[in-house]
Amino acid sequence: MAAAGAGQQWVLVEMVQAFYEAPAYHLILEGILILWIIRLLFSKTYKLQERSDLTLKEKEELIEEWQPEPLVPPVPKDHPALNYNIVSGPPTHIITVNGKECINFASFNFLGLLDNEKVKSAAQASLKKYGVGTCGPRGFYGTFDVHLELEERLAKFMRTEEAIIYSYGFATIASAIPAYSKRGDIVFVDEAACFAIQKGLQASRSNIKLFKHNDMADLERLLKEQETEDQKNPRKARVTRRFMVVEGLYMNTGDICPLPELIKLKYKYKVRIFLEESLSFGVLGEHGRGITEHFGINIDDIDLISANMENSLASIGGFCCGRSFIIDHQRLSGQGYCFSASLPPLLAAAAIEALNIMEDNPDIFQTLRAKCERIHKALQGISGLKVVGESFSPALHLQLEESSGSRENDVKLLKRVVDYCMNSGIALTQARYLEKEEKCLPPPSIRVVITVEQTEQELDKAASLLKEAAQSVLN
Amino acid sequence: RQGSGKKMEDTFSILYFQKNGISNGTLYKKTFIEHFEQAPMYVAVLTFLGFGVGTVFGYLRDFMRAWGLEKRNVATEREQQKDFVPLYQDFENFYTRNLYMRIRDNWNRPICSVPGPQFDLMERVTDDYNWTFRFTGRTIKNVINMGSYNYLGFAETDVNALKTVTIELQKYGTGICSTRQEMGTLDKHIELEKLVANFLGVEDAMVFGMGFATNSMNIPALVGKGCLILSDELNHTSLVLGARLSGATIRIFKHNNMQSLEKLLRDAIIYGQPRSRRAWRKIIILVEGIYSMEGSIVRLPEIVSLKKKYKAYLYLDEAHSIGAVGATGRGVVEYFGMSPDDVDVLMGTFTKSFGAAGGYIAGRKDLVDFLRTHSHSAVYATSMCPPVAEQIIRAMKCLMGLDGTTQGLQRVRQLGKNTRYFRRRLHEMGFIIYGNDDSPVVPLLLYMPGKIGAFARRMLEKNIGVVVVGFPATPITESRARFCVSAAHTREMLNTVLNALDELGDFLQLKYSRYSKSSHPELYEETRLELED
């Protein structure tokens, strides 16, 4: 031990001796090398391919030369969506479109509440008391007692714990989805989901998995795949939320989702359901409560129901209803709720009155369904056009039986059919889409909307007119 | 002296430009004064301390709740769904549960009258420390309203004023039930759009049913992948959402800081898109007219000169400034004496100055035609409701003088007078106020979290309704109370508020400013800023 210690000491002494005996230039060189190493350790990382070798003159030249695209590309004058149909006066049952009086088969006024006198007088009373606008978001003195009343009434009507109102129908589901589903979560959504849902999903930045329209086998396949993924990484799976977004009555295809099967899948794979009921609220079910009443399902099984008040309730805005546990979260994290002015009170009062009418006359739903069945039957067998949608759906599509090959030509053909009908007194419209933005673009179609105000003669007239139009244009 | 955004030292941006053009040119035709005073250091320390104490107690309460020592008041998940992945992470809601919940009674206060200069609040009490509220059934009458965005006082129930709205409501009803491109374009919309275009001095305009949705649905139509968005640090959520939904690259420049913006523009054009080095398809600058949390006005002349030099496009969101600034209420473009052709996309909302709801985008005809065909709102969202459109039409006609009276101009002038008076008095009293001297949005800094609740509650006791904002809407150390001055406020109402603020400022020690003028200006020939050192 002592020898080793002595050996070490001996080495140290030798080193110091060598240090003293080394020539000066050697020491200086070593010193410089050590300083260089220290400098390299502390200097910033070297950026590759930096155009920092450009001189100021070259930079100015680049700035001069750069030409941006024009802010908007030019729109051709004959673009099909550029020339709107202008309605003079209210879009009621008899509508004046482009100066011509027609029967309205294009506005989603299912229960005919748009020109109901009681609704209008409720709105007038509210106008006298509150003025028009609310001048603030819900958090900053924009909450009026009518809003609270409407939320209570909607919650009571739908038999849920709580409801929350938005001031715009589109913003309802587009704000609700990103409030719960964040980056890293998984959402299973039907292909035929409407654009508002697509925007909500885009804003949420979650993983989107599309399943074929109303195809439960496809959905189950996707869920099983996700399950096997989860087993590989159980820690991640424990914090990844899963959601399913479906519509009660699809706007793009006119059919309903198979809700009982979806509930079964929900409990089997532990996926929460968000149901979008814009078209089915006030249409399906014995009392108009939507698809849950239609199928007789306990409403607590659905995590969130979102609907807009712009169809059956003939007002503006939207609402979400469900358990307080879920809905209360949106009051602080729903962007369209927190950062936007609240619904004008006259529209809220109109919605409350419309709800009153719905509750007092539950037989209008049966009447509406009968009319839908009638026209659905009458429209069968038109040569060249096929009816797309359930027999009890008040919003149908008429698509071309055989496409001409190009979407533009299909649109032009359908336009001629629509013009023929408009000239003869039936107001129709084509279903409009943003062709480049939709995930799954539906084929071009004519929208036929059935309301409770249309008489049987008018329904028959519309059907026969469509037959004539199809005959003359498509053959 | 030219300053930049809030930094280490106090910044006073005083830009003087005389008509004959000296040094910085003739960009600004009148003085542009903005204040962003920094509070003394002890205030920041105490603020952090306040949040610290709140957090410690929050952890304590969570612990007690978890162990059943304290009652849980939150709604819980269904029994059948307890084995689902939890919907909310516990820590996400920590702030809501423990800090926000304590002072929750200062927000979402329901009112039951028109949101004019005075309103009636529904009295509500809580038996369990703000977890639930109940209404006593009484109303607190004639509370002075310093919180609603009623800049020109058009939120009124005067029968004569609302005559046309009543008629249109009776004629049209409240619903449209269709989108603009299908069967939802009424003659009222065409009339309104022409009027808006006329008002702003542009070729054409398009109106939408919701102000928030105007941004979030039209920015994605204008820009897409391969484009660059340069957005101000403090832009509103709707602009941020629209920018994110568009898929373009977003770069943020410091609030109202022209050097930061210019650097970003230069780097963007010189270096192109990241990694591929391709040139950007287009560059668009997103700014607001008046920023609602700061009260600052955008430096429009400088931005326009930058945009012209670098060939970028400018999107100006005038939600708070349309109707509120400018000699005839036409917004920041008029305020700076510029032409509306300098701004590519003029956007605004009708909620604030016009007492209605909805938004518009105006500009050249080709821009509006493009939006008519490609805007998400035109294809998928319901159009504006006719009585609301009529309210905007009558308010705008009043502003333009088309109804035969000078009431519109009077309102704008009254708003200007009220704003300047209010701000001057608050400066004299010694509060720290942010923003431009001409902006009707007046943020008064409170800093400490405890003062947020105290301030709002005591002001309500004095029958004045104020808006207080804290984290996360503002930076954590800069909680504030935000006043919105209205043309409908009389001098008496403002004096009542100012006296109450004076009292409360002394009681809560809110007078942090080191530059307060004397509170008796009439003793001096002219008021001068007294700097301590």
Side-chain angles (χ1 to χ4, degrees), chain A residues 105-146:
Chain A
F105 275 81
S107 302
F108 289 104
N109 182 14
F110 302 136
L111 302 178
L113 293 171
L114 205 142
D115 58 346
N116 186 301
E117 281 311 316
K118 281 204 264 183
V119 170
K120 280 191 205 174
S121 51
Q124 293 280 15
S126 171
L127 178 64
K128 278 200 191 45
K129 185 173 177 199
Y130 299 106
V132 180
T134 55
C135 300
R138 288 292 289 259
F140 303 152
Y141 304 111
T143 306
F144 284 47
D145 45 358
V146 269

Side-chain angles (χ1 to χ4, degrees), chain A residues 64 66 69 71 84 87 108 120 124 135 141 143 168 202-203 241 266 270 272 300 310 325 438, chain B residues 77-78 81 85 87-88 111 149 166 170 177 185 244-245 281-282 311 313 372 380 382 466:
Chain A
E64 272 287 320
W66 179 67
E69 277 180 12
L71 179 60
Y84 292 164
V87 176
F108 289 104
K120 280 191 205 174
Q124 293 280 15
C135 300
Y141 304 111
T143 306
Y168 205 44
Q202 195 184 350
R241 296 173 274 241
K266 166 186 169 167
K270 315 259 181 288
R272 295 176 199 266
D300 281 339
E310 293 162 0
F325 174 70
E438 286 262 7
Chain B
E77 180 67 275
R78 277 174 88 204
Q81 291 180 216
V85 176
L87 196 53
Y88 317 118
I111 78 178
Y149 303 133
T166 317
Q170 195 55 37
C177 306
T185 304
R244 274 183 32 210
L245 285 176
R281 282 174 43 208
K282 47 189 166 197
K311 291 178 267 193
Y313 299 113
R372 286 194 210 283
Y380 294 107
T382 320
V466 298

